Amino acid sequence: MGKLIQFCTRASRFDGPFGPDVGWPAAGMGYFVVTDSGRIIAVDGGHPEDAEDLLSLMESYCPHCIPEVDLWIITHPHRDHHGALTRICSDIELRKRVKINRLCYYFPNEYIDREGRNCCVHDNGLLSEAAESVLAQQVLPTVDQCVNVDGTEVRFLFTPTDCSILNRAGNANLCSLIFTVKGSHRTAMFTGDAYNRNMQIVVWRYPGALKCDILQAPHHGLCDTANAEFYRAVSPEILLVPISAAGDRCMHSGLYADSDYLKANLELEGSAKEIYRAYQGHVEITL
């Protein structure tokens, strides 16, 4: 029976100043699935300083061997998501502690953010170097592609293939992959730091076919993105929120009371039977 683990990053425990006047410190994000035979599917991982903690947690699920990550998915090119992986791959001692077979990501060099920058180019180089350093196969996902790891199926629903509808509309969060991970008992939906536009495209593409048991809240559950139509289509019983203690307090402080995004997020929280926030500690869920 597979297990889905939400990793409590160091930044998710941040409980200091947070908000529009002081900034929104990124909480980091990390998940991994351990299959029945002990193979691992990893999703992001957090900041560089999370590398050792993440490896130690993986090792606790593989007490008799080196953890084998058959597929490591990086949702989008931001340091609080790929930093742990790139540090592991660049540190000789750390990379001895894990075997990585495939590294999956899609950072389009042609993506242009609202400031006119090709903001994926640098991170593309980092991930390519990371894959080469551990001799991992590089996987460029496509829409509707399915990847099977020991009976656990990953299906990609959104990849940033059409930059014409994404360019100059924000930052690299718009490049976030959206995909499902289906185990023998439950299906989880991952959104990375997806913005409203990503989720709307998925709703249009898969009408009536998005129901999942578990949802990872987009962009750490912050009030700069949400899509009520997407949330209702997924209709999760379990909500995973990779948010910091400070961020969670701020989002529920009334500061964003007039935001439609907050209203959608609160509706999502109200409909879920269980909510697990990253700062509360590591969480294991049967998948």
Side-chain angles (χ1 to χ4, degrees):
M1 190 176 297
K3 301 179 181 68
L4 168 61
I5 294 88
Q6 177 171 252
F7 173 54
C8 175
T9 66
R10 294 188 183 188
S12 71
R13 298 192 288 269
F14 174 74
D15 201 14
F18 193 102
D21 296 330
V22 294
W24 291 10
M29 178 177 125
Y31 295 90
F32 61 92
V33 172
V34 182
T35 71
D36 293 339
S37 67
R39 305 281 283 279
I40 294 174
I41 301 168
V43 180
D44 292 344
H47 288 278
E49 57 266 29
D50 290 310
E52 293 192 47
D53 292 342
L54 178 61
L55 283 179
S56 294
L57 188 59
M58 286 183 178
E59 288 168 341
S60 72
Y61 283 89
C62 306
H64 305 299
C65 59
I66 294 175
E68 182 173 356
V69 180
D70 197 68
L71 185 69
W72 198 316
I73 303 168
I74 299 297
T75 59
H76 66 289
H78 279 157
R79 192 168 182 262
D80 65 310
H81 292 256
H82 67 60
L85 168 69
T86 52
R87 185 179 170 221
I88 289 168
C89 293
S90 64
D91 186 300
I92 294 175
E93 294 304 314
L94 291 180
R95 66 179 185 242
K96 287 179 182 177
R97 294 169 56 184
V98 64
K99 177 175 172 53
I100 303 172
N101 296 331
R102 291 178 287 182
L103 182 53
C104 176
Y105 63 100
Y106 196 137
F107 302 169
N109 283 332
E110 64 273 24
Y111 174 72
I112 300 171
D113 67 13
R114 64 163 60 97
E115 279 77 39
R117 300 172 300 186
N118 292 91
C119 58
C120 294
V121 174
H122 173 69
D123 298 273
N124 236 332
L126 288 178
L127 267 291
S128 181
E129 290 176 10
E132 291 173 6
S133 70
V134 294
L135 303 178
Q137 176 189 353
Q138 297 181 59
V139 177
L140 188 70
T142 57
V143 172
D144 267 340
Q145 179 181 1
C146 293
V147 180
N148 192 288
V149 177
D150 192 28
T152 299
E153 183 184 85
V154 179
R155 183 187 182 197
F156 294 93
L157 308 181
F158 177 87
T159 64
T161 52
D162 188 355
C163 289
S164 65
I165 61 175
L166 302 176
N167 277 347
R168 299 188 182 277
N171 60 33
N173 287 340
L174 277 164
C175 295
S176 290
L177 301 173
I178 298 178
F179 56 95
T180 58
V181 180
K182 183 179 181 180
S184 57
H185 289 78
R186 292 186 173 114
T187 299
M189 176 83 73
F190 288 91
T191 62
D193 281 359
Y195 278 170
N196 178 63
R197 185 169 299 193
N198 310 55
M199 290 181 277
Q200 189 63 63
I201 290 171
V202 171
V203 170
W204 291 338
R205 185 175 286 152
Y206 302 98
L210 295 177
K211 177 71 178 77
C212 289
D213 306 286
I214 305 166
L215 174 64
Q216 173 251 307
H219 201 204
H220 311 278
L222 302 180
C223 294
D224 64 340
T225 183
N227 188 293
E229 188 178 8
F230 177 82
Y231 294 163
R232 291 167 191 157
V234 177
S235 187
E237 294 186 358
I238 300 173
L239 180 62
L240 303 176
V241 192
I243 197 168
S244 69
D248 188 50
R249 183 179 62 249
C250 181
M251 292 305 108
H252 295 84
S253 66
L255 183 63
Y256 299 95
D258 296 327
S259 165
D260 288 338
Y261 288 151
L262 174 61
K263 293 173 185 176
N265 284 343
L266 290 177
E267 179 185 330
L268 175 64
E269 292 179 6
S271 64
K273 293 181 180 179
E274 301 173 61
I275 302 175
Y276 299 104
R277 297 175 173 89
Y279 66 86
Q280 297 170 322
H282 308 316
V283 171
E284 176 190 302
I285 299 169
T286 299
L287 193 66

